[in-house]
Amino acid sequence: AQSVSQHNHHVILSEAASLELGCNYSYGGTVNLFWYVQYPGQHLQLLLKYFSGDPLVKGIKGFEAEFIKSKFSFNLRKPSVQWSDTAEYFCAVNAPQAGTALIFGKGTTLSVSS
Amino acid sequence: DTGVSQDPRHKITKRGQNVTFRCDPISEHNRLYWYRQTLGQGPEFLTYFQNEAQLEKSRLLSDRFSAERPKGSFSTLEIQRTEQGDSAMYLCASSQDRTYGYTFGSGTRLTVV
């Protein structure tokens, strides 16, 4: 079945550590890729998105993601995390040939200690 | 606040009762989506409207579920004869077009007892 996989369920880091969260998808053809963040008690917010062009996408709050088509991956990175980055992170994929909906991964909980 | 509004925020209902949730999207957004999220899972797609037309439905949307978007503005999601398995967070999102990305509401948390 077509799916979105986030390999890390829970990541624990100290402040200033570097972050990389993995996301792989199994859809062929053209895909649109997203990372969403959900801070404690808040609604889902868009961090960044990729539709075409430069495979290295920069988002808000210093986050970036790299689309590697050959690996079906869209990993999220941040060079130096802050305590305020503690949140749940969701990767999502839209494959236009499969419909309009965003298909989400199960999410990765990031805990940053100060 | 010009975001996506959902009402109520919380709903506790007895098994077998009907419930209805409302979503008010961002006014200029013509696309509206309903998702369901359970603990430890990402949001799961339920249904999609473009203006007032319901264009896509997930197989998760059993015949006990119905959604409407009259006049292409707000939307309602009704669950009839609720079951304990319906307990979840029901999320609404809207977008202007495919490239814009969704704006999510805060959700309605349903608890069926």
Side-chain angles (χ1 to χ4, degrees):
Chain A
Q2 295 176 323
S3 66
V4 179
S5 300
Q6 291 184 244
H7 313 296
N8 314 103
H9 180 64
H10 193 181
V11 173
I12 301 171
L13 295 173
S14 300
E15 273 195 324
S18 64
L19 169 71
E20 181 161 3
L21 301 182
C23 173
N24 286 88
Y25 60 92
S26 61
Y27 298 89
T30 302
V31 290
N32 303 314
L33 301 159
F34 304 80
W35 276 97
Y36 280 82
V37 62
Q38 189 166 26
Y39 298 105
Q42 296 189 26
H43 60 275
L44 283 160
Q45 300 173 43
L46 182 65
L47 263 183
L48 48 78
K49 59 185 178 181
Y50 172 81
F51 276 74
S52 62
D54 188 345
L56 186 60
V57 180
K58 295 194 183 299
I60 61 172
K61 304 185 181 187
F63 286 91
E64 63 180 30
E66 184 175 14
F67 170 50
I68 303 179
K69 188 173 183 179
S70 60
K71 294 185 178 181
F72 296 85
S73 71
F74 190 56
N75 292 354
L76 181 71
R77 300 195 294 246
K78 185 170 184 178
S80 176
V81 294
Q82 300 172 317
W83 176 81
S84 58
D85 293 325
T86 295
E88 192 156 16
Y89 292 81
F90 293 94
C91 179
V93 177
N94 168 246
Q97 66 274 22
T100 306
L102 284 185
I103 307 303
F104 285 82
K106 291 187 176 183
T108 297
T109 300
L110 173 65
S111 300
V112 180
S113 59
S114 57
Chain B
D1 184 37
T2 57
V4 176
S5 300
Q6 291 189 245
D7 183 69
R9 292 292 301 273
H10 304 275
K11 178 71 177 180
I12 300 175
T13 192
K14 291 183 178 179
R15 188 163 50 94
Q17 296 295 304
N18 300 343
V19 294
T20 300
F21 310 140
R22 177 181 171 121
C23 172
D24 287 90
I26 293 173
S27 58
E28 59 266 30
H29 286 182
N30 60 3
R31 297 178 177 217
L32 186 147
Y33 307 83
W34 284 99
Y35 279 77
R36 182 178 70 184
Q37 187 175 17
T38 53
L39 198 63
Q41 301 292 323
E44 297 172 295
F45 170 71
L46 292 178
T47 190
Y48 156 61
F49 289 85
Q50 184 159 335
N51 299 311
E52 66 275 11
Q54 188 174 19
L55 297 183
E56 288 182 37
K57 289 196 287 187
S58 161
R59 63 180 180 275
L60 290 176
L61 210 68
S62 76
D63 56 5
R64 296 185 298 106
F65 288 69
S66 62
E68 293 183 341
R69 192 183 182 196
K71 303 178 182 177
S73 55
F74 71 92
S75 176
T76 58
L77 177 69
E78 181 183 15
I79 308 174
Q80 296 182 326
R81 304 181 304 282
T82 52
E83 301 172 356
Q84 287 190 320
D86 297 331
S87 296
M89 178 74 85
Y90 289 84
L91 298 169
C92 178
S94 69
S95 71
Q96 199 161 26
D97 58 34
R98 188 190 296 278
T99 64
Y100 188 79
Y102 294 8
T103 299
F104 278 89
S106 297
T108 294
R109 181 169 296 283
L110 173 67
T111 302
V112 182
V113 297

